[in-house]
Amino acid sequence: MQVLVVEDEKRLAQALEQILTEKKYMVDLAYDGRDGFDMAVSGIYDVIILDVMLPAMNGLEVAQMLRKEKIATPILMLTAKDQVADKVAGLDAGADDYMTKPFSPDELFARVRALTRRQGEVVIEEMTFDGIKLNLSTCDLSCNDRSVHLNFKEFEIMKILMSNPQAVTTKDDLIVKVWGYDSNAVDNNVEVYISFLRKKLEFIKANVEIISLRKVGYRLEGKANA
Ligand code: CA
């Protein structure tokens, strides 16, 4: 789960980052509305926590512009105490929920969880491609009666490749979606995980391989079609 926090009060932003990171969320921070919009429009986040009063562009404008760009990421708007007008305006602008400052970590988790659940209403348990199955709750990859467990990053990469089997996924795409927008991950990290995945595909005797397209990216292909 990747969360974007757009909040100009740095201490609050960092506190949010800390409590969300402890709960295993991946967190990116933006300190003004313009940066927040630029990051959010990538569409990689599962939830956006968005303050209303922000420099460069306020939270209402950010929410409105994101919805105009067809970015449907759930938005949790932060409002100062008693600014009822902000709450109404926030929901009108496209926010999904709001939370009044100050708030407790418990309230924050409850709201973030509710928003991610809402987004995941259609629960897909399993993805399949040419005889291989990826179980989305156990992170096990299997083919016939052979099965192997994927670690978090292998799982995330496999999920992206399987949801896009006909298309090429670029290394940059994988870095942003799996390591995060601000990460220092490089092409080499991706190659290492792709090689782990290839070994695991071999181990389960999958009839599927990850094809490298030099300087472009990766694609999943059935061996019969190769
Ligand atoms: Ca603020």
Side-chain angles (χ1 to χ4, degrees), residues 7-9 51 53-54 101:
E7 167 62 77
D8 58 316
E9 291 162 52
D51 189 29
M53 299 295 286
L54 288 168
K101 295 186 216 176

Side-chain angles (χ1 to χ4, degrees), residues 26 28 175-176 179-190:
M26 288 175 63
D28 286 332
I175 289 174
V176 169
W179 278 266
Y181 205 81
D182 271 342
S183 85
N184 296 316
V186 290
D187 287 3
N188 194 34
N189 299 59
V190 179

Side-chain angles (χ1 to χ4, degrees), residues 54-224:
L54 288 168
M57 214 163 110
N58 73 39
L60 301 174
E61 293 171 300
V62 174
Q64 252 165 2
M65 280 181 61
L66 286 173
R67 296 309 183 229
K68 213 179 274 177
E69 295 290 328
K70 306 278 182 259
I71 299 295
T73 312
I75 296 175
L76 173 58
M77 199 82 104
L78 299 182
T79 64
K81 212 179 168 195
D82 294 334
Q83 285 180 299
V84 179
D86 274 356
K87 292 174 190 169
V88 176
L91 296 173
D92 280 349
D96 298 85
D97 196 6
Y98 61 83
M99 193 166 61
T100 307
K101 295 186 216 176
F103 46 82
S104 70
D106 285 345
E107 183 183 3
L108 174 74
F109 294 135
R111 291 182 186 278
V112 168
R113 262 201 310 272
L115 286 176
T116 50
R117 255 205 305 274
R118 203 176 300 165
Q119 186 191 32
E121 260 170 18
V122 183
V123 182
I124 307 166
E125 288 289 320
E126 193 176 81
M127 294 174 84
T128 56
F129 176 74
D130 239 345
I132 59 170
K133 285 184 194 160
L134 181 63
N135 185 314
L136 299 182
S137 46
T138 62
C139 303
D140 288 334
L141 184 67
S142 58
C143 178
N144 298 323
D145 55 349
R146 294 175 77 95
S147 175
V148 66
H149 185 71
L150 302 186
N151 71 34
F152 177 72
K153 286 195 166 59
E154 292 167 348
F155 171 74
E156 291 289 315
I157 292 171
M158 202 60 199
K159 204 167 66 174
I160 294 166
L161 293 176
M162 285 180 81
S163 59
N164 232 356
Q166 307 307 329
V168 176
T169 304
T170 67
K171 282 182 182 173
D172 284 348
D173 265 359
L174 290 174
I175 289 174
V176 169
K177 288 181 180 153
V178 178
W179 278 266
Y181 205 81
D182 271 342
S183 85
N184 296 316
V186 290
D187 287 3
N188 194 34
N189 299 59
V190 179
E191 284 159 22
V192 167
Y193 278 93
I194 292 286
S195 75
F196 292 159
L197 278 172
R198 284 183 172 137
K199 289 202 181 84
K200 290 189 172 179
L201 283 168
E202 236 167 75
F203 175 77
I204 61 169
K205 301 192 187 304
N207 207 27
V208 168
E209 56 191 339
I210 301 171
I211 306 287
S212 300
L213 295 125
R214 194 186 283 263
K215 294 202 164 67
V216 187
Y218 300 99
R219 188 172 59 210
L220 211 53
E221 268 185 25
K223 283 182 182 169

